[in-house]
Amino acid sequence: GAVVSQHPSRVICKSGTSVKIECRSLDFQATTMFWYRQFPKQSLMLMATSNEGSKATYEQGVEKDKFLINHASLTLSTLTVTSAHPEDSSFYICSARDPTSVGETQYFGPGTRLLVL
Amino acid sequence: DAKTTQPPSMDCAEGRAANLPCNHSTISGNEYVYWYRQIHSQGPQYIIHGLKNNETNEMASLIITEDRKSSTLILPHATLRDTAVYYCISRANDYKLSFGAGTTVTVRA
């Protein structure tokens, strides 16, 4: 199956700093990537849709100025959590849509665990 | 996207087939049924998907009823490594996936 990577796998930062998370599709080009957040014992919640070469679209209740998304190439999307606070601590997961696969399946990265102190 | 309903949990014996049900009674004609699983602290893993026909791959089989209102994921020979949360999702044309609570499957030796 298609491979999606994320970096870093885990990060600890101080409150008020910004953190950048990278999502890469390793063996296919993804015009669309998605960012999710998962709190402990909860399911994944879609945050935003990242489209290559255009602005991301955010789900209701997700602050676009707080969670900056850049999709600069067909294989890379980045999520920057700006001025992070302890309540932003979560498991962030990206997915990438493979347009060449049957049904244009989404494949997920391994996730990034963010802890804000 | 159509809402899906799954049992919250199920146990199965190692080596036996695991049959995971999913109801999607409001699914529309162009919505795919997708199955993913999430092992603790990892990103979801794609298992299988289908539209109308039954599907099989190296991981599992997907049986979709003729009216498409329900489906069953079959893991033919469950192993301890199949212990995970399994998500059944209906996906529309916008490609967004809406994750419910899923079914927590525990495979016991």
Side-chain angles (χ1 to χ4, degrees):
Chain A
V3 180
V4 177
S5 70
Q6 280 185 244
H7 178 79
S9 58
R10 58 179 62 234
V11 57
I12 301 173
C13 68
K14 294 181 179 180
S15 186
T17 61
S18 294
V19 175
K20 181 186 285 188
I21 302 170
E22 292 185 348
C23 176
R24 293 182 185 273
S25 56
L26 297 186
D27 50 2
F28 65 98
Q29 293 184 328
T31 53
T32 306
M33 292 183 173
F34 301 85
W35 287 95
Y36 297 80
R37 180 169 53 181
Q38 185 176 32
F39 292 108
K41 300 190 184 302
Q42 295 185 23
S43 191
L44 281 76
M45 289 183 55
L46 179 64
M47 299 175 65
T49 302
S50 171
N51 297 299
E52 188 269 337
S54 64
K55 290 184 178 180
T57 55
Y58 292 80
E59 296 300 300
Q60 191 172 11
V62 178
E63 302 174 56
K64 62 179 182 180
D65 295 329
K66 172 77 172 175
F67 300 99
L68 301 179
I69 291 172
N70 183 274
H71 194 153
S73 78
L74 289 173
T75 60
L76 173 64
S77 176
T78 60
L79 168 70
T80 301
V81 182
T82 62
S83 186
H85 291 285
E87 58 265 30
D88 298 322
S89 299
S90 190
F91 192 46
Y92 292 86
I93 311 167
C94 72
S95 70
R97 177 168 67 90
D98 181 357
T100 65
S101 66
V102 175
E104 301 191 47
T105 298
Q106 279 185 45
Y107 296 93
F108 285 80
T112 296
R113 194 161 298 281
L114 170 63
L115 176 61
V116 184
L117 303 177
Chain B
D1 292 353
K3 179 178 172 58
T4 62
T5 305
Q6 299 176 251
S9 64
M10 64 184 295
D11 286 1
C12 61
E14 186 179 22
R16 305 294 293 270
N19 297 322
L20 283 62
C22 179
N23 288 322
H24 30 79
S25 58
T26 60
I27 197 169
S28 61
N30 62 351
E31 288 183 313
Y32 283 87
V33 177
Y34 271 81
W35 284 83
Y36 289 84
R37 71 181 183 185
Q38 187 177 27
I39 297 170
H40 184 62
S41 296
Q42 298 181 23
Q45 177 188 22
Y46 165 76
I47 301 174
I48 199 167
H49 74 279
L51 185 62
K52 297 179 181 178
N53 300 321
N54 298 337
E55 302 287 345
T56 295
N57 63 19
E58 65 277 6
M59 289 184 68
S61 296
L62 175 61
I63 308 299
I64 303 174
T65 58
E66 194 168 340
D67 61 8
R68 300 206 337 118
K69 292 185 177 182
S70 66
S71 60
T72 300
L73 179 74
I74 301 172
L75 306 177
H77 304 286
T79 71
L80 298 179
R81 287 179 293 182
D82 291 324
T83 292
V85 179
Y86 286 76
Y87 297 100
C88 169
I89 302 168
S90 63
R91 195 214 75 190
N93 289 337
D94 63 3
Y95 302 103
K96 291 182 180 180
L97 300 178
S98 180
F99 284 79
T103 297
T104 299
V105 173
T106 303
V107 181
R108 302 192 185 279

